[in-house]
């Protein structure tokens, strides 16, 4: 292994493992958030419908610069759809404008991409973007330190239910993807969240009968939402939980 790759490895490890901004969680019971990255047209349509049919809402991490394109993996929802999701009470979060990889993109360029996403999306949804999800779950330390000042929270793609406290710079999350979790796994992680009075953040991508390897079937998504509600969990958006009644922008200002 060359010295450079060792350095890269250490940096990645630090960015992910070092808790850089711990915030207390005051949870009265197990809480579950359903989040969708990119966002696939199918998630905006069928994912949102599955949540709404059960009276709950999700968080959709949108790449504004790619909205409405065919993209690599699946067609992405257009800006009119994003606006409609926001009107129906879903949270629209930031996923950068063009989906750069934080492990290989310098912080300055990466943060410009985040700014660009806000410039595109904030007029569409009529409010600030208050939470963030790292594309590919890839986190650079300077990126993380800057983003945790800017957003209420930044979501990664590793970990499990969070109890008592969370790292604002890297919320833990569990993949809700058919390729990586089945009904037994969903039950186990939700039981753990309930037992610990913890916050479980699921993330998914496309929602389709034959999903990509990053996607979930409508049936499995419904199974998870029904399971959360049957267990008496609070189902809340990321900003809704962290905002705790105050508006996200108020929280963001007070966190600076
Ligand atoms: Zn993504």
């Amino acid at each position: 292994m060359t010295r450079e790759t060792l350095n890269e490895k250490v940096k990645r490890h630090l960015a992910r493992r070092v808790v850089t901004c711990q915030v207390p969680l005051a949870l009265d019971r197990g809480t579950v958030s359903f989040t969708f990255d990119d966002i696939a047209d199918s998630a905006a349509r069928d994912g949102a419908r599955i949540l709404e049919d059960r009276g709950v809402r999700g968080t959709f991490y949108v790449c504004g610069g790619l909205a409405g394109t065919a993209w690599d993996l699946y067609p992405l929802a257009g800006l009119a759809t994003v606006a409609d999701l926001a009107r129906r009470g879903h949270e629209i979060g930031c996923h950068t404008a063009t989906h750069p990889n934080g492990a290989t993109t310098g912080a300055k360029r990466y943060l410009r991409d985040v700014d660009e996403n806000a410039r595109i999306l904030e007029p569409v949804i009529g409010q600030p973007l208050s939470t963030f999800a790292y594309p590919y779950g890839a986190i650079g330390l300077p990126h993380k330190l800057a983003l945790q000042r800017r957003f209420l929270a930044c979501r990664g793609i590793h970990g499990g239910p969070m109890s008592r406290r969370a790292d604002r710079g890297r919320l833990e999350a569990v993949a809700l993807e058919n390729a990586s979790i089945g009904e037994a796994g969903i039950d186990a992680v939700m039981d753990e969240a309930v037992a610990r009075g913890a916050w479980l953040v699921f993330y998914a991508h496309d929602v389709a009968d034959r999903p990509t390897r990053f996607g979930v079937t409508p049936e499995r998504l419904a199974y998870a939402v029904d399971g959360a509600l049957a267990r008496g969990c609070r189902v809340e958006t990321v900003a809704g939980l962290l905002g705790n009644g105050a508006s996200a922008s108020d929280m963001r200002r007070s966190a600076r």
Side-chain angles (χ1 to χ4, degrees):
M1 175 180 289
T2 68
R3 197 163 151 182
E4 192 178 28
T5 58
L6 179 63
N7 280 344
E8 287 299 319
K9 199 173 167 184
V10 169
K11 275 198 274 184
R12 271 203 307 278
H13 179 81
L14 275 176
R16 194 201 299 173
R17 295 293 173 194
V18 174
V19 173
T20 51
C21 184
Q22 207 166 58
V23 291
L25 295 175
L27 305 172
D28 57 353
R29 58 191 155 126
T31 301
V32 182
S33 297
F34 292 91
T35 70
F36 302 86
D37 291 5
D38 297 337
I39 56 173
D41 208 23
S42 60
R45 183 184 57 244
D46 300 327
R49 178 184 47 77
I50 287 165
L51 293 169
E52 289 172 24
D53 283 352
R54 291 154 177 83
V56 297
R57 298 295 184 271
T59 299
F60 292 82
Y61 288 109
V62 176
C63 289
L66 303 174
T69 69
W71 207 37
D72 298 344
L73 292 168
Y74 27 67
L76 298 177
L79 292 177
T81 302
V82 172
D84 198 41
L85 284 174
R87 267 195 299 276
R88 299 195 327 251
H90 297 280
E91 178 191 358
I92 303 303
C94 183
H95 197 45
T96 73
T98 64
H99 213 268
N101 185 327
T104 54
T105 307
K108 212 168 160 186
R109 198 169 127 214
Y110 192 90
L111 295 170
R112 270 204 307 270
D113 207 283
V114 171
D115 287 340
E116 173 65 5
N117 202 36
R119 193 190 63 73
I120 296 168
L121 291 179
E122 290 183 351
V124 169
I125 63 170
Q127 57 183 311
L129 300 168
S130 46
T131 72
F132 179 82
Y134 297 96
Y136 310 104
I139 308 174
L141 191 55
H143 313 54
K144 183 184 183 193
L145 293 173
L147 292 168
Q148 73 188 15
R149 283 194 297 275
R150 174 174 182 147
F151 292 103
L152 271 179
C154 306
R155 202 216 68 217
I157 58 166
H158 298 96
M162 298 164 282
S163 48
R164 293 193 293 281
R165 50 189 67 86
D167 183 0
R168 185 196 290 271
R170 187 189 69 90
L171 292 184
E172 298 191 19
V174 174
L176 184 58
E177 298 168 341
N178 279 50
S180 59
I181 195 167
E183 291 184 355
I186 291 170
D187 285 341
V189 76
M190 284 203 289
D191 285 344
E192 183 192 343
V194 170
R196 291 168 47 205
W199 182 23
L200 169 61
V201 180
F202 278 123
Y203 68 91
H205 294 86
D206 51 320
V207 179
D209 288 332
R210 296 178 63 190
T212 67
R213 68 183 191 279
F214 307 108
V216 65
T217 55
E219 189 184 19
R220 184 132 323 150
L221 174 61
Y223 181 86
V225 182
D226 288 338
L229 294 171
R231 285 170 173 80
C233 291
R234 182 178 170 194
V235 177
E236 183 57 276
T237 63
V238 175
L241 183 78
L242 292 170
N244 205 20
S247 83
S249 53
D250 289 342
M251 285 284 293
R252 204 167 70 177
R253 275 194 290 277
S254 69
R256 276 178 180 154

